[in-house]
Each structure stands twice: as C-alpha cells, then as structure tokens.
Amino acid sequence: MKIAVCIKQVPTREWQPRLNDQKTWVREQDASYEMNEPDAYALEESLRLREQHGGEVVVCSAGPARVQQVIREALARGADRALHVEDDALGAADAFTAAAALEPAMREEQFDLILTGLQSDDQGHAQFGPVLAEKLGVPHSTIIMEVQIDEAAGSLKVKRELEGGWFQYVTMPSPALLTIQSGINQLRYATLKGIMAAKKKEIRKVAPPAGLASRLTVTALYVPQKAKQTVMIGGSPAEAAAELVRRLREEARVL
Amino acid sequence: MILVIAEQRNDKLNRASWEAVVAAQQLAGEGIPVKVAVLGQGVSTAASELAQAEVAEVITVEHEALASYTSDAFVQAAAGLVTATAPAHVVFAHTYQTRDFAPALAARLDRALVTDVIGLKVAEGRPLFARPMFQGKLLADVALGGPAPHLVTVQIGAFRADTVQKGPAPAPVTSATATIDPGTVRQTPEAPFQEAKQAVDLSQAERIVAVGRGIKTQENIAVAQQLADAFGAELAASRPICDNGWLPMERQIGSSGQTVAPKLYVAVGISGAIQHLVGMKGSRTIVAINKDADAPIFEVADYGIAGDLFDVAPALIAELKK
Ligand SMILES: Cc1cc2nc3c(=O)[nH]c(=O)nc-3n(C[C@H](O)[C@H](O)[C@H](O)COP(=O)(O)OP(=O)(O)OC[C@H]3O[C@@H](n4cnc5c(N)ncnc54)[C@H](O)[C@@H]3O)c2cc1C
Ligand SMILES: Cc1cc2nc3c(=O)[nH]c(=O)nc-3n(C[C@H](O)[C@H](O)[C@H](O)COP(=O)(O)OP(=O)(O)OC[C@H]3O[C@@H](n4cnc5c(N)ncnc54)[C@H](O)[C@@H]3O)c2cc1C
C-alpha cells in the first residue's frame, strides 16, 4: 500500500500570538512550531497500516522552508520519504491554495490512501482534506476514528465520529482520502535510531503550480472582545482560594 | 438571494439550522430574499417547520440517494441546486455533516468557502466574516474573493436561534428535483450507533471539576481527583485527556462527548476551545483556573483565577477542607 500523510506545521499551542504591524497576520518570525496535532495521529495511523499491510508512507507538506522541521520529525517517527511543496512567497494561503499546491505532485504518486488531519490548530479551516479529495477525484470521509482495509476487495471501512458520542461505519473503494480525528490511536515518539535514519531519507522538493492565489483574505486580526464580566480573583494562591470559596458559598450558593 | 442549506435526520430538523437562517437573515439585510433548502428523502416536517421563518421559499430536494447521508450524493444534489438557483451566498451550520461535504462542494463549484463564522460586518460595501484563528486566541475578519456564490458555515451557538425573524404566514414550500447518478455515490454508510451505554452519566452531576491538558501528566490526574473530591464533584475532562487514555472517554465534555449543565463547573487547565464550550456553557456557575489570563475559557467563566493550577489546586483543597 502506498499511503500519503499530509502534515502541516503550526505554531505551538503555548505560543502567545503577536500581530504584525499591519494587524493582518501574526508575527511568524516570533513563533516556535510543531506538528499539527491531528496530523500526528494521521501519521501514526499510516505507520500502523503499513505494519499490517506493507508498503510505504510518504509525508506531504506545503509551506516555506521551515516546514522541514515537521517533515524530519515525521521521517524520524518512521515515514519512508517526503514530498515538500516549497514556496516562501505564498504566505498565509487558504486551504484551497494548499490543496492546489500539493495536488499535481500527489496525483503523480497515485497513492492508495491519503490521510490528513481533520483541521489545523492555527487557521482551522477544516477544508483541506475534502478539497484535495475532490481535486484528485477520490472519495473521502471525515473525522475518522478507525480504519480497516480490505485489500482483496479494494475497499476500506472507516468509523466516522458524529456529534454527541455517536459513530457510523462507512465503506468506500480505494483510493480514498480520510481526515483523521485526534485520539484514533496512541502516538509513538521518535527514537534516537529513527532520528539517525531520518537523515538519510529522501525529501523531494517540488515547486507549486503557477498562478495560485488565495480567495480568502484576512483584512484584520484582533484579540476577541470580552462580552462576559468575569470576576477575576487575585492574590496569593491561598488568598485566591479563600476568596473563591467564599464567593461560591455566599454569592453563587453552589457549595 | 441567499440560500441556506438546512440539515435534518429522519425528517427531524437539526436545531443549528435555525442559526444558519439567522445568519442568512443578517447577511441579507433589507430587500435581499433568503431561501432555505432541505436535502433528504421524506423531509416535509422539517420543511414546514422551516417555513415559519421569514424566508421567500423553502425548497425540498428529495431523492432516494439522499435518504442516508453520503458526501458524494449531497455534493451532487447541492451543486445542482446552487447552480440552478444562483445565490450570492450559501449558508450552512458548521456541523459534522457540513464539515464532511461543504468543502468538497466548494471545490466542485470552484468557489470560496469560509468556515466557522461567528459574526458578520460590512466594510466598503462587501461583507466581512469574523472567524476564530489560533484556537480562539484571535479573531480574523475574512473577505472572500472570486465569483459568487460564496459559501459560509457558521459556528454552532454563534447566532442565536431565538432571534430568527418569523414570517406573518408560512413561506411557500416547493420542490426541486435532484439529479444524482447512484453509480457515482462511492460511500456506503451504515446506521449511526452509540458505544456501549455509559457507566457515568455526568449530566446528572451537581458539580463537576473538569481537567485539561494543563495537568501535563497522567500522574497529576490525582491532583484533579483530589480537587473534585474536595468540591464533592464528579471528575471530567477535555478531549486530549481522554485521547491520551488518562481518563475514560465517558468523562469527556464537549461536542464529541457529554453535554452537561451542573450548578458548578470548575475548568482546570482547559483553554476553552469551542468544541469544549458547547458541552458546558449552560452550567450555572463556571470557574476557570488557567495560567494564561487571556485563555478563551475566561470568556464564559463567572469566576476566574489566572494562576498555576499546581499552586491553586492545593490551596483550594486546603480551603475546602477547613
Ligand atoms: C507553498 C505554500 C506556502 C505557504 N506558506 C505559509 C506561510 O508562510 N504561513 C502560513 O501561515 N501559511 C502558509 N501556507 C498555508 C498553510 O500552510 C495552509 O496550507 C493552509 O492555510 C491550510 O489551511 P488550514 O490550516 O486551515 O487547513 P485545514 O483544512 O484546517 O487542515 C486540515 C488538514 O489538512 C492538511 N494540511 C493543511 N495544510 C497543509 C499543508 N500546508 N501541507 C500539508 N498538509 C496540510 C493537514 O493534514 C491538516 O490537518 C502556505 C501554503 C503553501 C501551499
Ligand atoms: C470535531 C472536533 C470535536 C472535538 N470535540 C471535543 C470535545 O468533545 N471536548 C473537548 O474538550 N475538545 C474537543 N475537541 C478538541 C478541542 O478543539 C481542543 O483541542 C481541546 O478542547 C483542547 O483541550 P485543552 O483545553 O485541555 O488543551 P489546550 O488547548 O492545550 O489548553 C491547555 C490549557 O492549560 C493551560 N495551562 C497549562 N499549564 C497550566 C498550569 N500549570 N496551570 C494552569 N493552566 C495551565 C494553558 O494556558 C491552556 O489554556 C474537538 C475538536 C474537533 C475538531
């Protein structure tokens, strides 16, 4: 099986975003980066499927040179090789642009299965997977919590998460694209051996197709205004604890 | 014209569809008609319910291939309808079903899509859509380019269903034919199900202490348990805690977990992502403890302590034991 896993590099969750001078985007130069969390689960799932069915796992990522960090990490965790669509000029492109950037190179590879995360931790458009599937002409299913492959039948059966604790099984022919939900498996981390081996693995750089332009433009980025009057309780931990308990007893009457 | 694509299952309307109608009414302003479409097979109850809204028309799109949801059939039916009706905007509620097919629909139509919108503005004659970015730490105003229609999904809870404008008389319900080639529907769905009945029903708890990723390690869950015990509360968690297997799934609060409304909800080391908030914001009194004073959880909290939970929790346990 030839499995693609699409991985996005995002600012770490701890990072406090700071705005650029135009207040239209964040100061990317200040950010530290990590692998988008659902993508780590998608990577783990692809490695498990390779263990069961053989084949190879190819990491696909679009973005500026800095995304090599997460590509290396994915290779260290066990992916076989990588495809990097690199362009420093595209900036904060939308999900359509990212999918369009990756589509030609991914089409050429003729993957049997493509896994993506269900949404990114930074922009969070939750669009890239279904858009890429549509562009490639393959069926898709989203928010997946289990993947079973029937190689003989050329099909797969997946467990879709629905709202409020409901699930549903869906069967479809391969090749197909699935967007993976966090928690589908337990993650493994890179070993020293994996990190050493990753250094020798191939990262193929590809230029994006010409003429890509984002249709979504951020005209302003800002800190949301607080609507609710939250009573913020200060002081030392002991003082704050005493004041909170007093208010919960006397004001809110919930204790 | 603005077209809303409503959602139903077994002819039961998804409540979030009303919120999409509200967003469409706001976007339309005066003079621009709003129409609502319902896709499925046997959707007359949902359609007549929607006809109560102040809209120009409710359009049913029925086909046996739409009886159970699949992205392939819904993309085809919606693409046909959008092409035939040529709206300026198409509005959906940002449900799991919308997430599954709206991006593919946008790609099929080759039109712009903005997701998870929480507010609308107009600047220089064109609409701007406010949506969260960076886990809700920031909001972005987004303008959409390229030809109409532009597709818009609205975050659950962002537009209040009870502000929907009702019409003086029910709107006309018409039907449009869907052309779906069953041979092109590649997904075969099975019936939705729930995992084995949950042993703990958190919806009955009077007090809940919920722990998030700020707890850092599995060993530290004990700290949260002690805090819950001191409050006489059930222990619950955000999704990452359950994903890691530190607490069972049945203790997860949020859109993919349980929805609760206790007298007291204490969120400890939880950032306040929308998928968590929808499961708990109906709680009567909400307390948030977070070391980041700007964390979105404080937006819904009645009382907040901006501090390190490893200092605050022991102090609270000691205070409650007094
Ligand atoms: C050449 C190029 C350069 C770019 N440079 C920048 C930049 O400097 N700064 C910036 O902020 N953005 C940049 N982007 C855009 C950004 O990387 C995202 O691709 C885009 O915003 C996707 O939207 P999203 O995060 O909301 O995706 P969602 O639809 O929320 O993501 C869902 C899933 O799609 C997959 N995915 C999304 N984006 C990518 C990607 N780029 N590569 C691989 N898989 C992906 C992941 O599996 C993810 O979990 C660039 C894009 C391209 C193509
Ligand atoms: C389709 C979908 C469904 C989802 N369903 C759910 C759901 O049902 N329930 C759910 O919860 N999530 C759900 N999520 C995930 C959700 O988007 C968030 O990722 C998740 O809620 C974040 O959990 P968290 O707040 O614990 O972690 P984080 O967002 O990482 O926040 C951790 C917080 O802890 C604080 N902190 C760190 N250290 C300390 C300390 N020492 N003292 C005090 N505070 C500290 C940080 O400041 C931060 O605010 C879903 C996501 C998707 C896309």
Side-chain angles (χ1 to χ4, degrees):
Chain A
M1 279 207 64
K2 201 168 161 184
I3 307 173
V5 54
C6 296
I7 293 184
K8 184 180 182 187
Q9 187 198 38
V10 296
T12 60
R13 281 170 169 269
E14 287 72 43
W15 186 55
Q16 288 298 339
R18 286 181 46 206
L19 302 181
N20 67 7
D21 292 340
Q22 298 78 39
K23 297 200 172 16
T24 52
W25 198 237
V26 292
R27 283 174 54 91
E28 290 196 343
Q29 62 270 35
D30 294 348
S32 48
Y33 289 94
E34 63 187 4
M35 189 182 295
N36 186 42
E37 184 170 56
D39 305 5
Y41 285 97
L43 171 65
E44 178 63 40
E45 197 60 23
S46 68
L47 298 174
R48 288 177 188 221
L49 291 170
R50 185 190 61 190
E51 278 157 16
Q52 285 168 32
H53 302 277
E56 64 168 345
V57 170
V58 182
V59 178
C60 302
S61 191
R66 60 171 160 77
V67 310
Q68 293 247 348
Q69 173 220 358
V70 293
I71 293 178
R72 287 278 170 217
E73 189 187 331
L75 294 173
R77 289 195 197 183
D80 297 288
R81 62 188 172 89
L83 211 158
H84 177 193
V85 174
E86 185 179 348
D87 191 333
D88 287 351
L90 263 156
D94 57 27
F96 256 67
T97 315
L102 278 162
E103 187 233 343
M106 288 186 70
R107 180 184 293 278
E108 231 171 75
E109 292 269 1
Q110 303 205 336
F111 292 109
D112 301 305
L113 179 65
I114 300 170
L115 303 184
T116 76
L118 83 165
Q119 78 179 52
S120 67
D121 282 344
D122 55 354
Q123 299 196 44
H125 292 299
Q127 296 190 25
F128 175 95
V131 170
L132 181 62
E134 179 67 22
K135 284 181 183 292
L136 291 172
V138 302
H140 75 271
S141 194
T142 56
I143 322 194
I144 298 305
M145 288 295 281
E146 184 185 322
V147 184
Q148 301 167 23
I149 292 174
D150 185 341
E151 278 185 286
S155 69
L156 43 142
K157 183 172 175 177
V158 299
K159 185 174 159 191
R160 260 186 89 203
E161 180 182 297
L162 307 176
E163 279 112 338
W166 289 78
F167 298 91
Q168 175 182 43
Y169 281 101
V170 180
T171 308
M172 73 197 85
S174 70
L177 182 146
L178 306 173
T179 82
I180 300 296
Q181 167 68 301
S182 295
I184 183 175
N185 49 40
Q186 293 297 313
L187 299 177
R188 81 187 78 179
Y189 292 94
T191 58
L192 191 59
K193 196 163 146 247
I195 296 168
M196 298 309 288
K199 297 200 166 121
K200 298 193 205 75
K201 290 178 177 170
E202 180 206 6
I203 302 179
R204 185 157 70 92
K205 286 193 194 174
V206 190
L212 291 184
S214 218
R215 280 185 178 146
L216 269 55
T217 316
V218 176
T219 59
L221 196 64
Y222 47 94
V223 178
Q225 266 193 351
K226 273 207 189 315
K228 181 143 178 176
Q229 294 295 326
T230 305
V231 177
M232 294 302 288
I233 299 173
S236 71
E239 286 161 4
E243 176 65 5
L244 176 65
V245 170
R246 186 189 70 75
R247 283 179 180 262
L248 291 178
R249 286 205 174 111
E250 295 170 14
E251 223 169 60
R253 296 170 185 270
V254 289
L255 289 180
Chain B
M1 188 267 287
I2 294 176
L3 181 68
V4 175
I5 297 193
E7 184 171 322
Q8 58 78 37
R9 188 184 294 163
N10 301 328
D11 205 9
K12 197 169 175 294
L13 190 64
N14 184 324
R15 311 306 308 165
S17 298
W18 287 113
E19 302 173 6
V21 174
V22 169
Q25 288 177 335
Q26 282 185 26
L27 187 58
E30 292 295 313
I32 298 174
V34 174
K35 296 183 180 180
V36 189
V38 201
L39 281 57
Q41 169 82 318
V43 296
S44 55
T45 313
S48 55
E49 200 182 330
L50 285 163
Q52 306 302 314
E54 169 87 70
V55 294
E57 190 181 355
V58 175
I59 308 167
T60 60
V61 182
E62 298 188 87
H63 193 287
E64 58 185 13
L66 299 172
S68 339
Y69 167 80
T70 61
S71 50
D72 276 348
F74 271 59
V75 166
Q76 275 187 59
L81 180 71
V82 169
T83 307
T85 54
H89 291 91
V90 186
V91 183
F92 313 72
H94 193 59
T95 60
Y96 275 48
Q97 184 167 303
T98 298
R99 284 166 172 269
D100 196 59
F101 83 93
L105 173 65
R108 175 91 40 108
L109 298 167
D110 194 16
R111 293 297 182 266
L113 163 65
V114 59
T115 52
D116 215 19
V117 167
I118 66 160
L120 305 168
K121 303 175 191 170
V122 177
E124 289 157 16
R126 65 172 178 173
L128 294 178
F129 301 91
R131 70 182 300 280
M133 292 233 189
F134 300 92
Q135 302 278 311
K137 289 179 195 150
L138 297 174
L139 279 182
D141 289 343
V142 177
L144 300 181
H150 294 159
L151 283 65
V152 180
T153 78
V154 296
Q155 187 176 93
I156 312 291
F159 294 84
R160 291 188 46 178
D162 57 9
T163 62
V164 72
Q165 289 171 36
K166 298 270 173 103
V173 178
T174 62
S175 70
T177 44
T179 36
I180 299 169
D181 174 359
T184 60
V185 178
R186 296 161 293 184
Q187 299 91 355
T188 313
E190 292 177 19
F193 64 94
Q194 275 183 304
E195 305 278 61
K197 205 76 204 115
Q198 312 200 307
V200 268
D201 182 5
L202 293 175
S203 67
Q204 298 306 316
E206 289 218 329
R207 298 185 200 89
I208 291 175
V209 168
V211 58
R213 207 192 321 241
I215 200 78
K216 302 273 183 330
T217 66
Q218 183 162 21
E219 295 70 60
N220 291 340
I221 294 288
V223 177
Q225 182 66 60
Q226 287 158 19
L227 184 63
D229 293 345
F231 269 113
E234 284 282 352
L235 184 61
S238 66
R239 178 160 187 138
I241 301 299
C242 304
D243 284 349
N244 285 334
W246 297 352
L247 281 175
M249 271 283 278
E250 59 194 21
R251 293 198 178 262
Q252 179 182 315
I253 304 296
S255 59
S256 50
Q258 297 205 37
T259 300
V260 296
K263 277 197 331 203
L264 176 65
Y265 191 91
V266 185
V268 184
I270 291 178
S271 62
I274 178 64
Q275 293 87 4
H276 188 79
L277 299 186
V278 294
M280 48 65 76
K281 67 181 178 192
S283 306
R284 199 164 94 203
T285 299
I286 298 172
V287 174
I289 300 166
N290 196 305
K291 69 172 184 195
D292 172 10
D294 294 323
I297 188 75
F298 287 119
E299 180 58 25
V300 299
D302 299 285
Y303 301 103
I305 298 179
D308 190 324
L309 77 91
F310 297 106
D311 298 330
V312 177
L316 266 173
I317 293 167
E319 183 66 30
L320 288 162
K321 282 191 180 151
K322 272 185 192 165

